[in-house]
Amino acid sequence: MSFNKIIFFFSLSTLYLLINSCTSESAEELYVSNDATAKIVYNSKLKTIINNKCISCHDYHLEGTNRYNTYEKTKSAISEMMARIYSTSNTIMPPADASILTPEEKLVFEDFYNALNNIETEKFVVTWTAYKFPDFNNRASVSGTFGGIDYILNNEYSNPIDILENATVTINTTSVNVGGNDEKTQNTAYFFSLFTPEIVGIVNSYTVQKALITFSMNGIEQQVEFDITLEENKLILNGSVPDMNLFNWQSAYDGFATVCGEYHQQKVWEDITVKIEISL
């Protein structure tokens, strides 16, 4: 999430607190539209995340906006929650000594917020996850997305899976974003500048459960298998590149390590997981 988004959420949080302290408006009055979509996000995903990582502290409040044990309470507090989730100070939630939210879990909060505010989500989202640190059993994940994506989809489908027919995607790697962290984003962009200016994917074949996509990176083509799931109004593909050496990444990796090797203890693992989300 960009710095501007963080400021935006803090501003919304402040505005919300002012409104809540001066009026008796209910959640229904604060968000009068798109309840149906928001409830789907809440019941299918967000409620579980809150129960696992928030409710141990945010269930004991008798009154106020810090109690998140119901849909209505969460709905009323979402602006403040977003501000705290993306805070860069000691106000961040969950706190440092608690179980932190993964990038994917943060996106669920965003989906809920966007649904309440009728903010259109991106049609095509690619999320990659790399792994760092030498000890395989204790390696940590780093996830990012790309802002510059061009795609062609089959929008004349009757069955949602057929949106993949003859689908292609072209990713501008300079548009990489690593969780709103400027330093990590700059370092990763440096890696891609040494590796490949763009990534091209072409759907070769698909079934209800699987898709085969040929990716072109660094002048090399390799086929990657994805598992397919259909969730609400979204098609989700999960796959992995088992070894980035297949795309001859070593020289780019070596250059990358000279700049920020200390941050990952001189080790980034060769496997990369990829998640593609297509809104229907």
Side-chain angles (χ1 to χ4, degrees):
M1 175 167 286
S2 68
F3 178 77
N4 287 336
K5 274 190 175 181
I6 294 172
I7 295 298
F8 174 67
F9 284 127
F10 270 116
S11 299
L12 282 176
S13 175
T14 303
L15 178 60
Y16 168 75
L17 291 174
L18 288 172
I19 292 173
N20 196 50
S21 63
C22 299
T23 74
S24 59
E25 285 183 310
S26 67
E28 290 297 327
E29 293 167 319
L30 287 170
Y31 297 107
V32 296
S33 60
N34 238 357
D35 245 339
T37 302
K39 283 181 178 178
I40 291 173
V41 176
Y42 177 81
N43 289 321
S44 64
K45 297 179 182 179
L46 185 58
K47 183 178 180 180
T48 299
I49 297 171
I50 291 174
N51 286 341
N52 289 340
K53 297 192 174 180
C54 307
I55 208 68
S56 60
C57 292
H58 290 277
D59 188 36
Y60 67 87
H61 298 274
L62 296 178
E63 299 292 341
T65 59
N66 289 329
R67 188 174 182 178
Y68 309 146
N69 63 327
T70 68
Y71 169 78
E72 294 299 329
K73 289 287 187 180
T74 304
K75 179 180 177 180
S76 295
I78 188 60
S79 291
E80 183 181 1
M81 293 170 77
M82 292 293 291
R84 299 292 290 275
I85 287 170
Y86 287 103
S87 173
T88 57
S89 69
N90 59 5
T91 63
I92 190 170
M93 287 291 170
D97 59 350
S99 180
I100 64 172
L101 295 173
T102 67
E104 292 78 13
E105 288 170 335
K106 290 182 180 181
L107 288 176
V108 175
F109 280 88
E110 287 192 40
D111 288 344
F112 182 71
Y113 176 88
N114 291 341
L116 288 173
N117 289 277
N118 283 319
I119 298 175
E120 185 176 351
T121 57
E122 293 183 65
K123 175 76 172 179
F124 198 110
V125 179
V126 177
T127 304
W128 54 266
T129 301
Y131 302 91
K132 62 182 181 178
F133 300 150
D135 184 355
F136 182 86
N137 293 324
N138 292 297
R139 65 182 189 166
S141 63
V142 178
S143 296
T145 57
F146 297 97
I149 298 179
D150 294 320
Y151 54 86
I152 298 174
L153 300 171
N154 171 32
N155 291 311
E156 302 297 323
Y157 61 85
S158 55
N159 188 332
I161 192 69
D162 291 327
I163 198 172
L164 296 176
E165 184 178 355
N166 299 319
T168 64
V169 58
T170 302
I171 300 170
N172 179 350
T173 59
T174 63
S175 68
V176 68
N177 177 47
V178 183
N181 184 303
D182 290 341
E183 185 175 17
K184 288 182 180 179
T185 295
Q186 290 170 6
N187 290 338
T188 308
Y190 177 69
F191 163 76
F192 278 114
S193 72
L194 300 174
F195 180 50
T196 186
E198 68 177 18
I199 300 170
V200 177
I202 300 174
V203 176
N204 296 326
S205 62
Y206 62 89
T207 65
V208 174
Q209 296 179 323
K210 301 282 186 182
L212 293 177
I213 302 178
T214 294
F215 283 102
S216 176
M217 290 185 276
N218 199 25
I220 299 171
E221 292 185 351
Q222 293 289 338
Q223 189 168 261
V224 179
E225 182 178 273
F226 285 82
D227 294 321
I228 299 176
T229 56
L230 181 62
E231 296 184 6
E232 302 143 22
N233 59 343
K234 187 179 292 185
L235 197 68
I236 299 177
L237 292 78
N238 285 291
S240 66
V241 178
D243 188 349
M244 284 295 291
N245 285 303
L246 294 171
F247 293 98
N248 194 22
W249 82 326
Q250 192 61 51
S251 61
Y253 173 79
D254 291 342
F256 174 64
T258 63
V259 174
C260 59
E262 61 182 296
Y263 294 113
H264 46 73
Q265 299 175 16
Q266 306 300 329
K267 179 61 178 180
V268 174
W269 290 85
E270 294 81 3
D271 58 312
I272 306 291
T273 60
V274 181
K275 180 179 183 180
I276 300 173
E277 299 171 89
I278 304 172
S279 297
L280 301 172

